[in-house]
Amino acid sequence: MTTHFSALRGKNVILGVTGSIACYKAVDIASKLVQAGAVVDTVMTRSAQQFVSSLTFRSLTHRSVVTDLFDAESDDAVEHVALALRADVVLIAPATANVIAKIANGFADDALTAVVLATNAPVLLAPAMEGRMWANAAMRQNVSTLESRGFSFIGPAEGRLASGEMGRGRLEETSTVLNALYEAIGGGSAGDLAGMHVVVSAGGTQEPIDPVRIITNRSSGKQGYAIAEAARDRGARVTLVTAPTALTDPDLIEVVKVGSARDMLASVESALRAGADALVMAAAVADWEPASAAGQKMKKTWETRMTLELTKTPDILATVRELPGVKVGFAAETEDLLGNAKEKLSRKGLDLIVANDVSATDAGFNVDNNRVVILDRDGAQEELPLMSKRDVADRILDRVRGIVDARR
Ligand code: CTP
């Protein structure tokens, strides 16, 4: 999957890497930044190089890596000053207790601390250390000193630490780190959907029969993920409420993982109540759920038939119809495409419905292309040719934007 998030394209990012076991995650961060089109200059401390080789970053970023204040790789002994001036943002991930203490006290005894002292760009620190170190009074003071000077901290997260203990001190997930970076460079204010919060649902919900069995459907989640990514790339804040899929979590998107239709309803509802501007329900929501899920695995009996009693799941779109926000539904049909779609549009109180014929083999379920008709409340039908799910996503978002603009 290519990572698109346009605001990072061409931005000069200094990635500071300091000596922690979490250094391997910095490799992933560097890779994602490069995929997004950022120009990444890596500055490594001596101890970071004990964990990961500078060659790894040099290969990923296609740029030389600064490893020393007087760097053998560079003829220019004041390179750190040039880097510092050019930077749009400095991200230190992982940031050790030691580097945080040095920055808080204005040290400049290696290339990274020198860059931090010389730059005017925002500096973000993603700490990684033992929980006791993070909680220590000296660390607390260093953190508040840095915050009062405008530095931002990303995490650390709670979880299992290098020592095997549980606590607060884990380097945040790559997606959280990238989100914070994106915000810091004003990513949220670029693009025609800037300032909008879009909620997208995706995947096929799973309704439990017992602890090991489920009822689900063939949805791949591809169309929903494509809409979420397109909205992000156009500057929207995006919440993706997704039932299980085989797809990778997209970066810079809040991903809420749910199982059943009921779980999905709860997450969609709370996002809309929090003031989202639009809901695009691309999820294939199960219409039926077992009347009562068995608490234990159901055993095979001597009977040759068994009956499973099902009850209706809540209709998510119908439940949230009175909440504010533009509502877009999908109608996946195998017959009378437009008739069924129109009926759903009015029954669910939608602004738009995207109708697709799922009996076609070149479009719809589990493939990368889709052929849809977008219908609106006024009865207009926009019939689109076969195109990528990403292009379909953009066409849907164009319509959503039109409705949001008209209501402002
Ligand atoms: N949907 C929903 N809640 C449900 C079922 C569906 O919000 N319990 C949403 C889907 O995400 C989609 C739209 O409603 O955006 C239409 O879904 P679809 O399954 O085509 O329609 P149903 O109302 O379930 O009707 P039917 O299965 O009879 O075609």
Side-chain angles (χ1 to χ4, degrees), residues 8-9 12 68 99 111 124 133 170 187 244 248 275 296 323 377-378 404 407:
L8 280 167
R9 194 155 300 134
N12 292 301
D68 202 341
V99 84
L124 288 85
M133 294 168 82
R170 272 175 74 87
T248 318
Q296 303 297 332
L323 294 178
R377 277 186 186 185
D378 303 329
V404 171
R407 286 189 189 164

Side-chain angles (χ1 to χ4, degrees), residues 223 227 280-282 317 328-332 344 353-354 356 370 396:
Q223 183 64 73
I227 297 166
V280 184
M281 279 293 296
L317 280 170
V328 183
F330 272 73
K344 282 176 191 168
I353 194 151
V354 183
N356 64 332
N370 215 349
I396 296 168

